[in-house]
Amino acid sequence: WNWRVKTASIWVLAGIAALSDVRFSVRGQDLSVRALSGRADFSESRVIVQDVQGFLNDGRLRSHGDLRLERFSVKSLELQTDLEDVTVQVQPEVPVTLTGSLLLASRNAELFQLSGGLDVVKFRYTQPISLETLLASARERPVPSDDKPNEWLKLDVDLRAAGDVRVENNLARAKLGGKLKLSGSNVKPVLLGVVETQEGAQAYFRGNTFNVQRGQLQFNGLWPTFDLSAQSQ
């Protein structure tokens, strides 16, 4: 630590803070940071975060940012984070490995926006699915709730199937490609875009194997729809 404090009618804090071998985890989330190092330069109205790097789960994390201050309160924030082969759990026992860049920004320190782009380099969905249960659940409508969760994060993240993205379960065996956008907010996240099956995809139904000529799963922000063309002998 290296600090300089001026006292007058207004307090001013200036100096440098260094991080070394920091570890922490996010409560309720499968996120664990280790071996984090970097530095932060403080001035009267600004904090510059530099050369922050470490490990997030089993992948690498690099970050830098700029915080604007007003009397020790955050006036605005821009924090960019680069991820390399970071694996997270989108659902229990459903890991996805991501590479890309994210930008967390705010102009009033109350409403934040997360933007950027991520490549899905590895994803394999192996959980069994009951087609009848899936169709029944799609017809159900959520029950309105009087509780209004706090909306603090807007989402604008591009997702691209850029690697080994597959479904291998009782309904299908297929490699997937396509682009999606994660939009909406922390209260109501929304997926937009199309995911398509690649050559060699197969579907299974009531003991029959179907060769898929065309398979599309379309996300429009409401209910996902699918377009499937397959044949069997």
Side-chain angles (χ1 to χ4, degrees), residues 16-89:
I16 299 173
L19 302 176
S20 178
D21 197 23
V22 175
R23 297 169 176 262
F24 65 89
S25 58
V26 180
R27 180 180 296 178
Q29 302 291 330
D30 181 38
L31 297 174
S32 177
V33 175
R34 58 185 173 85
L36 191 69
S37 63
R39 58 177 285 175
D41 297 339
F42 292 79
S43 65
E44 179 179 349
S45 60
R46 194 175 182 183
V47 179
I48 299 177
V49 180
Q50 303 182 69
D51 302 326
V52 175
Q53 54 185 314
F55 295 91
L56 174 58
N57 293 349
D58 56 349
R60 295 197 64 87
L61 162 72
R62 299 180 182 86
S63 186
H64 63 273
D66 188 352
L67 288 77
R68 303 296 176 121
L69 304 176
E70 186 175 289
R71 295 186 179 181
F72 292 101
S73 297
V74 177
K75 186 177 180 181
S76 66
L77 162 71
E78 287 190 359
L79 181 65
Q80 180 170 325
T81 301
D82 300 326
L83 305 177
E84 181 180 348
D85 294 335
V86 172
T87 300
V88 297
Q89 300 278 343

Side-chain angles (χ1 to χ4, degrees), residues 77-141:
L77 162 71
E78 287 190 359
L79 181 65
Q80 180 170 325
T81 301
D82 300 326
L83 305 177
E84 181 180 348
D85 294 335
V86 172
T87 300
V88 297
Q89 300 278 343
V90 293
Q91 290 181 359
E93 299 182 2
V94 184
V96 56
T97 303
L98 304 168
T99 293
S101 297
L102 296 173
L103 177 64
L104 181 65
S106 175
R107 297 302 176 192
N108 55 18
E110 294 181 359
L111 183 62
F112 295 83
Q113 176 168 312
L114 184 65
S115 59
L118 295 173
D119 287 343
V120 181
V121 296
K122 187 175 182 180
F123 174 79
R124 189 159 296 181
Y125 191 86
T126 60
Q127 304 298 307
I129 297 175
S130 168
L131 185 59
E132 289 77 8
T133 302
L134 184 65
L135 294 175
S137 64
R139 291 192 293 265
E140 296 177 357
R141 295 296 184 265

